[in-house]
Amino acid sequence: MTVSDPTGLDAPGKARALYEARRTRVPIAPFTDAEPRLGMAEGYAVQRALTDLLLADGERVVGRKVGLTSTAMQRAIGVDSPDHGPVLASTVYRDGDALPLDRFIAPRVEAEIVFVMGERLLGPGVGPTDAARAVAGVAAAMEIVDSRIADWRITLADTVADLASNGAVVVSSRVVPLAGLDTRLIGMTLTRGGELVDTGAGAAALGDPLAVVAWLANVLGEHGVALEPGHLVMTGALHAAVPIAAGDVWRAEFDRLGPVTTRVTAGAEVAA
Protein backbone atom coordinates (compact mmCIF):
# COMPACT_ATOMS: atom_id res chain seq x y z
CA MET A 1 0.00 0.00 0.00
CA THR A 2 1.33 3.45 -0.87
CA VAL A 3 1.19 5.99 1.94
CA SER A 4 -0.05 9.37 0.75
CA ASP A 5 1.93 12.51 1.44
CA PRO A 6 -0.59 15.20 2.44
CA THR A 7 2.09 17.89 2.24
CA GLY A 8 2.83 17.15 -1.41
CA LEU A 9 6.56 17.35 -0.65
CA ASP A 10 7.45 13.84 -1.88
CA ALA A 11 10.53 13.69 0.32
CA PRO A 12 11.27 10.08 -0.73
CA GLY A 13 11.23 11.03 -4.41
CA LYS A 14 13.52 14.00 -3.88
CA ALA A 15 15.82 11.90 -1.72
CA ARG A 16 16.02 9.26 -4.44
CA ALA A 17 16.96 11.93 -7.01
CA LEU A 18 19.80 13.13 -4.77
CA TYR A 19 20.83 9.53 -4.07
CA GLU A 20 21.18 8.87 -7.80
CA ALA A 21 23.06 12.14 -8.31
CA ARG A 22 25.55 11.07 -5.63
CA ARG A 23 25.92 7.64 -7.25
CA THR A 24 26.31 8.81 -10.87
CA ARG A 25 28.02 12.17 -10.21
CA VAL A 26 25.42 13.79 -12.47
CA PRO A 27 23.89 16.88 -10.81
CA ILE A 28 20.20 17.70 -10.75
CA ALA A 29 18.27 20.96 -11.01
CA PRO A 30 17.46 22.76 -7.75
CA PHE A 31 14.21 21.57 -6.20
CA THR A 32 13.34 25.22 -5.62
CA ASP A 33 13.26 25.89 -9.38
CA ALA A 34 9.94 24.08 -9.50
CA GLU A 35 8.92 24.66 -5.87
CA PRO A 36 10.30 28.05 -4.79
CA ARG A 37 8.44 27.98 -1.47
CA LEU A 38 10.41 25.03 -0.11
CA GLY A 39 12.16 25.97 3.13
CA MET A 40 14.35 24.55 5.86
CA ALA A 41 11.74 22.15 7.25
CA GLU A 42 11.18 20.58 3.85
CA GLY A 43 14.92 20.38 3.28
CA TYR A 44 15.44 18.43 6.49
CA ALA A 45 12.60 16.05 5.61
CA VAL A 46 14.41 15.20 2.37
CA GLN A 47 17.75 15.00 4.22
CA ARG A 48 16.34 12.41 6.64
CA ALA A 49 14.97 10.34 3.77
CA LEU A 50 18.30 10.50 1.91
CA THR A 51 20.24 9.55 5.04
CA ASP A 52 17.97 6.52 5.46
CA LEU A 53 18.77 5.41 1.90
CA LEU A 54 22.50 5.69 2.54
CA LEU A 55 22.28 3.87 5.88
CA ALA A 56 20.40 1.06 4.13
CA ASP A 57 23.46 0.73 1.86
CA GLY A 58 25.66 0.14 4.93
CA GLU A 59 26.79 3.74 5.45
CA ARG A 60 27.39 4.97 9.02
CA VAL A 61 26.96 8.41 10.60
CA VAL A 62 30.16 9.25 12.51
CA GLY A 63 29.43 12.88 13.30
CA ARG A 64 27.80 16.07 12.12
CA LYS A 65 28.81 19.02 9.99
CA VAL A 66 27.48 22.50 10.59
CA GLY A 67 27.45 25.03 7.77
CA LEU A 68 26.56 28.67 7.30
CA THR A 69 28.21 29.56 10.62
CA SER A 70 29.76 32.78 9.36
CA THR A 71 27.84 36.03 8.92
CA ALA A 72 29.13 36.36 5.36
CA MET A 73 27.81 32.94 4.32
CA GLN A 74 24.45 33.52 6.01
CA ARG A 75 24.06 36.81 4.14
CA ALA A 76 25.08 35.17 0.87
CA ILE A 77 22.28 32.61 1.05
CA GLY A 78 19.77 34.86 2.82
CA VAL A 79 19.43 33.10 6.19
CA ASP A 80 20.07 34.00 9.81
CA SER A 81 21.04 30.61 11.25
CA PRO A 82 23.33 27.68 10.41
CA ASP A 83 22.34 24.36 8.88
CA HIS A 84 23.62 20.86 9.57
CA GLY A 85 24.03 17.42 8.04
CA PRO A 86 25.63 14.06 8.80
CA VAL A 87 29.31 13.18 8.48
CA LEU A 88 29.40 9.77 6.81
CA ALA A 89 32.08 7.18 7.57
CA SER A 90 32.96 6.68 3.90
CA THR A 91 33.79 10.39 3.53
CA VAL A 92 36.39 10.66 6.32
CA TYR A 93 40.04 10.95 5.26
CA ARG A 94 43.16 11.08 7.42
CA ASP A 95 45.82 13.74 7.38
CA GLY A 96 47.99 13.20 4.31
CA ASP A 97 45.55 10.93 2.47
CA ALA A 98 45.06 11.31 -1.27
CA LEU A 99 41.66 12.75 -2.16
CA PRO A 100 40.23 11.32 -5.42
CA LEU A 101 38.57 14.03 -7.49
CA ASP A 102 36.31 11.54 -9.28
CA ARG A 103 34.29 11.07 -6.08
CA PHE A 104 32.85 14.56 -6.46
CA ILE A 105 30.92 16.80 -8.82
CA ALA A 106 32.04 20.38 -8.07
CA PRO A 107 34.19 20.18 -4.92
CA ARG A 108 35.49 23.09 -2.88
CA VAL A 109 37.74 23.11 0.18
CA GLU A 110 37.15 24.82 3.53
CA ALA A 111 39.48 24.84 6.55
CA GLU A 112 37.58 24.16 9.76
CA ILE A 113 37.96 23.42 13.44
CA VAL A 114 36.61 19.99 14.38
CA PHE A 115 35.68 18.75 17.84
CA VAL A 116 35.74 15.11 18.93
CA MET A 117 33.00 14.33 21.43
CA GLY A 118 34.03 12.68 24.67
CA GLU A 119 30.62 12.45 26.31
CA ARG A 120 27.04 12.20 25.14
CA LEU A 121 25.52 15.66 24.68
CA LEU A 122 21.77 16.10 24.33
CA GLY A 123 19.79 19.35 24.16
CA PRO A 124 17.85 21.43 24.89
CA GLY A 125 19.46 23.91 27.23
CA VAL A 126 23.05 23.28 26.14
CA GLY A 127 25.47 26.22 26.23
CA PRO A 128 29.12 26.61 25.22
CA THR A 129 30.29 25.70 28.74
CA ASP A 130 28.31 22.44 28.57
CA ALA A 131 29.79 21.76 25.16
CA ALA A 132 33.32 22.34 26.47
CA ARG A 133 32.77 19.77 29.21
CA ALA A 134 31.47 17.19 26.73
CA VAL A 135 34.19 17.36 24.08
CA ALA A 136 37.32 15.22 24.28
CA GLY A 137 39.35 17.71 22.30
CA VAL A 138 39.77 19.75 19.15
CA ALA A 139 41.66 19.14 15.92
CA ALA A 140 42.63 20.67 12.59
CA ALA A 141 40.42 19.73 9.65
CA MET A 142 39.39 20.53 6.13
CA GLU A 143 35.96 19.93 4.67
CA ILE A 144 35.39 19.23 1.01
CA VAL A 145 31.95 20.61 0.23
CA ASP A 146 30.21 19.38 -2.89
CA SER A 147 26.82 19.93 -4.47
CA ARG A 148 24.58 17.46 -6.23
CA ILE A 149 22.64 20.55 -7.33
CA ALA A 150 23.79 21.79 -10.74
CA ASP A 151 26.22 24.72 -10.79
CA TRP A 152 25.85 25.29 -7.03
CA ARG A 153 22.52 27.06 -7.71
CA ILE A 154 21.37 26.35 -4.18
CA THR A 155 18.88 27.92 -1.86
CA LEU A 156 18.62 26.91 1.79
CA ALA A 157 16.16 24.08 1.09
CA ASP A 158 18.37 22.64 -1.65
CA THR A 159 21.57 22.56 0.37
CA VAL A 160 19.87 21.21 3.50
CA ALA A 161 18.26 18.41 1.47
CA ASP A 162 21.66 17.62 -0.06
CA LEU A 163 23.11 16.72 3.38
CA ALA A 164 24.24 20.33 3.82
CA SER A 165 26.40 19.98 0.68
CA ASN A 166 28.68 17.40 2.28
CA GLY A 167 31.49 15.83 0.32
CA ALA A 168 34.35 14.69 2.55
CA VAL A 169 36.36 15.67 5.60
CA VAL A 170 40.10 15.46 6.19
CA VAL A 171 40.90 15.28 9.90
CA SER A 172 44.19 15.46 11.76
CA SER A 173 45.02 12.55 14.07
CA ARG A 174 46.23 15.02 16.70
CA VAL A 175 43.41 15.81 19.13
CA VAL A 176 44.31 18.70 21.46
CA PRO A 177 42.71 19.03 24.92
CA LEU A 178 40.66 22.17 25.46
CA ALA A 179 42.35 23.11 28.74
CA GLY A 180 43.85 26.59 28.39
CA LEU A 181 42.71 26.86 24.76
CA ASP A 182 40.39 29.63 23.53
CA THR A 183 39.05 28.27 20.25
CA ARG A 184 37.77 31.71 19.25
CA LEU A 185 41.37 32.87 18.90
CA ILE A 186 42.76 29.97 16.90
CA GLY A 187 44.25 31.44 13.74
CA MET A 188 44.46 29.52 10.48
CA THR A 189 46.26 29.76 7.14
CA LEU A 190 45.25 27.83 4.02
CA THR A 191 47.82 27.15 1.30
CA ARG A 192 47.78 25.42 -2.07
CA GLY A 193 51.15 24.11 -3.17
CA GLY A 194 52.79 26.28 -0.53
CA GLU A 195 51.11 29.49 -1.72
CA LEU A 196 48.81 31.36 0.67
CA VAL A 197 45.16 31.23 -0.39
CA ASP A 198 43.29 32.51 2.67
CA THR A 199 43.35 33.05 6.41
CA GLY A 200 40.79 32.86 9.18
CA ALA A 201 40.17 32.49 12.89
CA GLY A 202 37.89 30.41 15.09
CA ALA A 203 35.65 33.37 15.91
CA ALA A 204 34.31 33.25 12.32
CA ALA A 205 32.21 30.24 13.38
CA LEU A 206 29.23 31.77 15.25
CA GLY A 207 31.67 33.87 17.26
CA ASP A 208 32.93 30.74 19.06
CA PRO A 209 33.27 27.18 17.69
CA LEU A 210 31.97 25.84 21.02
CA ALA A 211 28.78 27.81 20.39
CA VAL A 212 28.41 25.77 17.19
CA VAL A 213 28.53 22.52 19.19
CA ALA A 214 25.94 23.90 21.62
CA TRP A 215 23.68 25.06 18.78
CA LEU A 216 23.87 21.66 17.12
CA ALA A 217 23.13 19.77 20.35
CA ASN A 218 20.05 21.90 20.94
CA VAL A 219 18.73 21.58 17.38
CA LEU A 220 19.24 17.81 17.31
CA GLY A 221 17.80 17.54 20.80
CA GLU A 222 14.47 18.80 19.51
CA HIS A 223 14.24 15.44 17.72
CA GLY A 224 15.68 13.35 20.56
CA VAL A 225 19.04 12.98 18.80
CA ALA A 226 22.29 13.34 20.78
CA LEU A 227 25.91 13.94 19.91
CA GLU A 228 27.56 10.67 20.88
CA PRO A 229 31.07 9.90 22.22
CA GLY A 230 33.55 9.72 19.36
CA HIS A 231 31.38 11.78 17.03
CA LEU A 232 33.07 14.49 14.96
CA VAL A 233 31.55 17.97 14.91
CA MET A 234 32.71 20.11 12.00
CA THR A 235 32.09 23.71 13.03
CA GLY A 236 32.00 25.58 9.72
CA ALA A 237 34.31 27.32 7.29
CA LEU A 238 36.68 30.02 8.55
CA HIS A 239 37.02 31.51 5.04
CA ALA A 240 35.38 31.42 1.61
CA ALA A 241 35.24 27.97 -0.02
CA VAL A 242 37.84 27.43 -2.79
CA PRO A 243 37.49 25.08 -5.81
CA ILE A 244 39.94 22.17 -5.92
CA ALA A 245 41.61 20.44 -8.87
CA ALA A 246 43.69 17.34 -9.50
CA GLY A 247 47.32 17.93 -8.53
CA ASP A 248 46.51 20.40 -5.76
CA VAL A 249 48.21 19.95 -2.40
CA TRP A 250 46.16 21.68 0.29
CA ARG A 251 47.45 22.45 3.77
CA ALA A 252 45.56 24.16 6.58
CA GLU A 253 47.71 25.14 9.54
CA PHE A 254 46.11 26.16 12.83
CA ASP A 255 47.56 27.80 15.94
CA ARG A 256 48.00 25.20 18.70
CA LEU A 257 46.36 22.47 16.61
CA GLY A 258 49.00 22.04 13.91
CA PRO A 259 48.52 21.27 10.22
CA VAL A 260 46.32 19.00 8.14
CA THR A 261 47.15 18.19 4.52
CA THR A 262 45.58 16.46 1.54
CA ARG A 263 46.72 15.79 -2.01
CA VAL A 264 44.07 15.83 -4.75
CA THR A 265 44.32 13.08 -7.35
CA ALA A 266 42.32 12.54 -10.53
CA GLY A 267 40.94 9.25 -9.22
CA ALA A 268 41.39 6.57 -6.62
CA GLU A 269 44.98 5.35 -6.46
CA VAL A 270 45.58 1.62 -6.87
CA ALA A 271 48.41 0.00 -4.94
CA ALA A 272 51.03 -1.72 -7.11
Side-chain angles (χ1 to χ4, degrees):
M1 181 178 69
T2 301
V3 178
S4 63
D5 177 6
T7 68
L9 173 62
D10 187 20
K14 289 179 171 63
R16 176 60 64 175
L18 285 169
Y19 176 90
E20 290 300 323
R22 296 174 72 92
R23 183 182 67 83
T24 62
R25 308 292 186 261
V26 177
I28 62 176
F31 298 131
T32 50
D33 277 2
E35 301 173 76
R37 294 188 178 182
L38 295 180
M40 183 177 285
E42 291 81 8
Y44 281 120
V46 177
Q47 183 187 115
R48 289 190 292 271
L50 175 55
T51 302
D52 287 344
L53 288 174
L54 296 169
L55 294 178
D57 279 349
E59 187 61 88
R60 292 184 299 115
V61 174
V62 296
R64 303 281 171 173
K65 60 151 293 183
V66 183
L68 305 177
T69 55
S70 72
T71 300
M73 285 303 297
Q74 289 179 10
R75 287 175 178 167
I77 206 167
V79 299
D80 59 3
S81 71
D83 67 350
H84 66 85
V87 173
L88 305 173
S90 66
T91 70
V92 179
Y93 291 79
R94 298 168 299 179
D95 180 22
D97 279 352
L99 190 73
L101 196 64
D102 63 2
R103 288 199 58 172
F104 311 104
I105 295 174
R108 301 173 179 179
V109 65
E110 301 173 345
E112 302 190 12
I113 290 170
V114 61
F115 290 101
V116 180
M117 300 304 300
E119 301 176 6
R120 192 170 192 264
L121 188 63
L122 176 66
V126 172
T129 301
D130 304 303
R133 285 194 293 261
V135 302
V138 58
M142 288 183 283
E143 182 181 6
I144 309 303
V145 292
D146 195 19
S147 184
R148 274 57 60 171
I149 305 299
D151 303 319
W152 279 97
R153 292 190 296 113
I154 53 173
T155 66
L156 181 62
D158 298 309
T159 186
V160 168
D162 190 20
L163 307 191
S165 300
N166 79 345
V169 297
V170 185
V171 180
S172 171
S173 61
R174 182 188 179 206
V175 180
V176 178
L178 275 181
L181 184 62
D182 187 339
T183 54
R184 298 172 302 175
L185 304 181
I186 294 175
M188 176 280 306
T189 59
L190 179 71
T191 59
R192 175 177 50 208
E195 296 186 1
L196 182 66
V197 174
D198 216 333
T199 62
L206 282 189
D208 182 351
L210 284 168
V212 177
V213 179
W215 175 88
L216 180 61
N218 289 327
V219 169
L220 293 177
E222 295 175 2
H223 304 282
V225 177
L227 296 173
E228 302 290 351
H231 269 189
L232 303 174
V233 179
M234 302 290 293
T235 57
L238 304 182
H239 60 92
V242 186
I244 66 175
D248 287 351
V249 177
W250 292 95
R251 179 182 177 92
E253 189 149 3
F254 296 77
D255 293 339
R256 303 283 297 275
L257 306 182
V260 62
T261 303
T262 191
R263 174 172 51 90
V264 184
T265 62
E269 296 184 338
V270 179

